[in-house]
Amino acid sequence: MTEASFPAVRLRRLRQSPAWRRLTREVRVRPEQLVLPLFVREGASAPLPIGSMPGVVQHTLDSLRAEIARAAAAGIGGVMLFGVPEHKDAVGSGATDPEGILNAATRIAREEAGDALVVQTDLCLDEFTDHGHCGVLDARGGVDNDATLERYRDMAIAQAEAGSQLLGLSGMMDGQVAACRAALDDAGHAEVALLAYAAKYASAFYGPFREAVQSSLEGDRRTYQLDPANRREGAREAALDIAEGADIVMVKPAMSYLDVLADTAATSPVPVWAYQVSGEYSMIEAAAAHGWIDRERAVDESITGIVRAGADAVLTYWAVEAAERWAR
Ligand code: PBG
């Protein structure tokens, strides 16, 4: 009997040189798979830096225009707009006001973007309510699901009329996809698509975002966002949103939920996106600022990992930077 000689398999053969590695790479991330979230602040006269997200700002309408032009030139797939209103109230009136900051920003974004990229808007009340919840409250201070759906319907129509092409339903109310689809269709906006934040977890990684939108929230969102421990429930949310008519489903955050993302991608008949959220951004930026990690490699590795797990597109605050760097 001859002894088996190991290593019999030489996996290192394909890793010998940059040329070999490039040729045999399994996943390639392209600029058009990236979507840039943008914050637009009402009444701002100059872009305002967000302390917990170095490099990210609250835009004025003018600086938004410039950033959209840059995003289009970089060849990214789209932008996702968030509004930061000057005044908030219990029902988030600013969200449905045609002159409200998000709707005003949407019109400008469409004008500037033309057909170069897809203009998307966050459809949620938390930036607009004085209590900071994603919906309206009932008499006991809980978030009233069905009363909130009425607000979302009006918001969907207002955003469609402002020119949004894809509405990001991030509020995690039951039935929000069906409600918004019906409202849009009834109002003659069948062309407007819905991105359902199907599996959105109650995450600590949204921390810096709350500064970015100057959230008034006290307490948490655990009665509507998913428990971080629940994998099956994420798949169930996605399946239900698809049944309700979602054109695209999203998993959020990304890096701590790659299993949910892979599950969803394995069975979804619609595109599956992931949102690399504010805290994921800030962690890498902070570590890099300390010199503890190689910033650009960490950015690229994190985005690649999200795509490898199954995301067809990624919302990331590095979208334009990465796209510009990859082009060099
Ligand atoms: C809700 C919304 C949130 C984010 C996007 N949409 C915050 C939340 O649910 O508390 C978080 C995005 C991020 O952290 O980058 N409108």
Side-chain angles (χ1 to χ4, degrees):
M1 215 176 91
T2 55
E3 261 176 61
S5 98
F6 286 104
V9 182
R10 297 279 179 182
L11 291 170
R12 292 182 54 195
R13 219 172 271 137
L14 306 188
R15 299 175 196 154
Q16 292 182 74
S17 67
W20 270 112
R21 294 193 291 273
R22 192 181 59 185
L23 179 63
T24 58
R25 188 158 295 145
E26 294 180 36
V27 161
R28 292 179 176 82
V29 189
R30 307 261 319 149
E32 58 266 30
Q33 289 174 280
L34 304 181
V35 175
L36 179 69
L38 289 168
F39 303 105
V40 189
R41 172 139 176 205
E42 190 168 29
S45 51
L48 292 163
I50 299 162
S52 55
M53 300 180 73
V56 179
V57 301
Q58 293 177 331
H59 283 283
T60 67
L61 291 172
D62 283 339
S63 71
L64 172 71
R65 222 180 252 287
E67 190 65 17
I68 301 247
R70 184 178 165 200
I76 67 167
V79 292
M80 170 64 76
L81 305 178
F82 293 90
V84 185
E86 256 175 331
H87 306 288
K88 304 183 184 196
D89 62 25
V91 297
S93 304
T96 43
D97 178 353
E99 303 309 318
I101 184 62
L102 181 52
N103 297 322
T106 303
R107 284 192 296 271
I108 285 177
R110 275 307 298 283
E111 216 177 276
E112 191 64 45
D115 290 327
L117 43 76
V118 177
V119 172
Q120 316 167 29
T121 45
D122 185 56
L123 197 159
C124 190
L125 284 171
D126 67 312
E127 291 97 0
F128 297 94
T129 52
D130 51 13
H131 45 73
H133 274 293
C134 296
V136 295
L137 305 184
D138 61 24
R140 283 170 306 171
V143 174
D144 185 330
N145 195 87
D146 297 4
T148 299
L149 294 185
E150 289 305 313
R151 295 291 295 132
Y152 286 2
R153 288 166 157 274
D154 291 347
M155 208 175 164
I157 294 168
Q159 293 189 350
E161 278 167 8
S164 181
Q165 297 170 287
L166 175 61
L167 312 187
L169 305 178
S170 68
M172 292 303 286
M173 294 301 122
D174 286 323
Q176 63 184 12
V177 177
C180 290
R181 185 71 270 156
L184 289 168
D185 292 351
D186 290 350
H189 290 295
E191 78 289 355
V192 173
L194 297 180
L195 164 64
Y197 287 47
K200 178 172 176 181
Y201 288 84
S203 172
F205 294 107
Y206 306 144
F209 175 91
R210 306 250 165 109
E211 182 195 343
V213 299
Q214 289 158 300
S215 168
S216 335
L217 184 71
E218 283 168 22
D220 60 58
R221 306 197 197 287
R222 290 178 217 203
T223 69
Y224 40 105
Q225 297 180 348
L226 291 169
D227 187 313
N230 295 356
R231 178 173 179 170
R232 274 196 305 269
E233 198 183 356
R236 189 171 182 216
E237 282 276 5
L240 197 55
D241 283 353
I242 292 164
E244 286 183 30
D247 298 287
I248 301 167
V249 291
M250 174 108 90
V251 174
K252 175 184 179 180
M255 291 161 72
S256 297
Y257 299 89
L258 296 179
D259 54 341
V260 178
L261 178 57
D263 289 351
T264 306
T267 56
S268 174
V270 303
V272 178
W273 293 7
Y275 196 144
Q276 184 176 45
V277 302
S278 57
E280 303 181 68
Y281 174 89
S282 300
M283 279 195 298
I284 290 177
E285 290 290 343
H290 279 281
W292 294 340
I293 49 173
D294 179 327
R295 183 179 175 281
E296 292 184 354
R297 284 188 59 202
V299 168
D300 288 1
E301 183 176 331
S302 67
I303 297 172
T304 300
I306 295 165
V307 171
R308 192 194 62 235
D312 298 300
V314 183
L315 274 77
T316 173
Y317 299 96
W318 289 301
V320 169
E321 179 206 306
E324 287 176 348
R325 179 158 46 77
W326 300 342
R328 285 202 290 271

